[in-house]
Amino acid sequence: MRKGWIITVALFVAVLVTAALVVLVPNSLGKAFIKEAKAMGYIAYTPDEAIKLAYERCSTCHSEEKMLKYCTRCGPPFIVVAHFMKKYTEITNAQNKDLNLKQFSDAEIVAIAQAWNALIGNWESDWPEKDLRKLLDKDKALIDLLATPVTKRPIEAALKDKRAPGAYKRYGLGTDG
């Protein structure tokens, strides 16, 4: 009986040590594991990681200039744009089996929306909330983000004084968030 406990404890300790080594010691497996954990929402994105993610994921289809020149005159707030990018990716993958764009996870899309809101402008207050909710359909992650005050959004709040160089500004919109 005692031998069984020793073996069980030894296996448990071995698993913990292996997991700690994978996560704590810099290596490609650990980086992939942490990246996936962030995408799944188990670990929060830092503001800098959210900015990097926004540029990486969005530049797959859009030029940096196009993203930075986006304004309220051209379309809805980023929270709605982010929702439609998820839909666009889904439709594109269904129509083009060979393309296979990586779908956005809820954690990624929330981080990306906050990053663009902070870097370019949050225009949610310029739109009626009921219209935004209708456009977000049943996208729970973004509806929850919409219901969160800007000051309580971790990425957006941390980047409140940061603006992307070259971002289009029009009439001070999106600055009162």
Side-chain angles (χ1 to χ4, degrees), residues 97-158:
K97 300 291 183 200
D98 297 335
L99 190 56
N100 196 23
L101 292 173
K102 183 179 179 226
Q103 183 55 276
F104 297 94
S105 71
D106 287 346
E108 287 174 320
I109 208 70
V110 165
I112 289 168
Q114 288 183 75
W116 289 130
N117 279 346
L119 295 175
I120 297 173
N122 183 332
W123 307 309
E124 294 164 20
S125 63
D126 300 336
W127 283 55
E129 186 176 337
K130 67 179 178 112
D131 291 349
L132 292 174
R133 285 183 178 276
K134 186 175 182 180
L135 289 168
L136 292 175
D137 194 30
K138 294 179 176 93
D139 194 330
K140 183 172 174 9
L142 290 174
I143 290 170
D144 289 347
L145 180 64
L146 179 64
T148 305
V150 174
T151 56
K152 302 247 192 245
R153 297 176 183 183
I155 294 166
E156 220 167 316

Side-chain angles (χ1 to χ4, degrees), residues 28-171:
S28 60
L29 180 60
K31 286 179 185 176
F33 178 76
I34 291 171
K35 184 177 180 179
E36 190 61 27
K38 287 181 181 191
M40 294 174 67
Y42 295 123
I43 300 173
Y45 285 101
T46 66
D48 288 337
E49 290 169 339
I51 291 170
K52 184 178 177 195
L53 178 69
Y55 276 98
E56 282 177 2
R57 293 298 307 274
C58 298
S59 66
T60 302
C61 301
H62 308 289
S63 70
E64 182 177 315
E65 182 180 6
K66 183 175 183 177
M67 293 181 289
L68 294 175
K69 299 300 179 196
Y70 186 81
C71 71
T72 56
R73 184 185 68 225
C74 305
F78 286 106
I79 198 164
V80 174
V81 172
H83 168 71
F84 282 103
M85 289 302 99
K86 283 173 62 176
K87 289 292 184 191
Y88 176 76
T89 301
E90 184 180 310
I91 291 167
T92 301
N93 284 338
Q95 291 176 345
N96 302 303
K97 300 291 183 200
D98 297 335
L99 190 56
N100 196 23
L101 292 173
K102 183 179 179 226
Q103 183 55 276
F104 297 94
S105 71
D106 287 346
E108 287 174 320
I109 208 70
V110 165
I112 289 168
Q114 288 183 75
W116 289 130
N117 279 346
L119 295 175
I120 297 173
N122 183 332
W123 307 309
E124 294 164 20
S125 63
D126 300 336
W127 283 55
E129 186 176 337
K130 67 179 178 112
D131 291 349
L132 292 174
R133 285 183 178 276
K134 186 175 182 180
L135 289 168
L136 292 175
D137 194 30
K138 294 179 176 93
D139 194 330
K140 183 172 174 9
L142 290 174
I143 290 170
D144 289 347
L145 180 64
L146 179 64
T148 305
V150 174
T151 56
K152 302 247 192 245
R153 297 176 183 183
I155 294 166
E156 220 167 316
L159 298 173
K160 69 179 171 35
D161 297 325
K162 188 168 186 167
R163 293 287 182 240
Y168 179 72
K169 292 288 177 210
R170 181 176 160 234
Y171 311 129

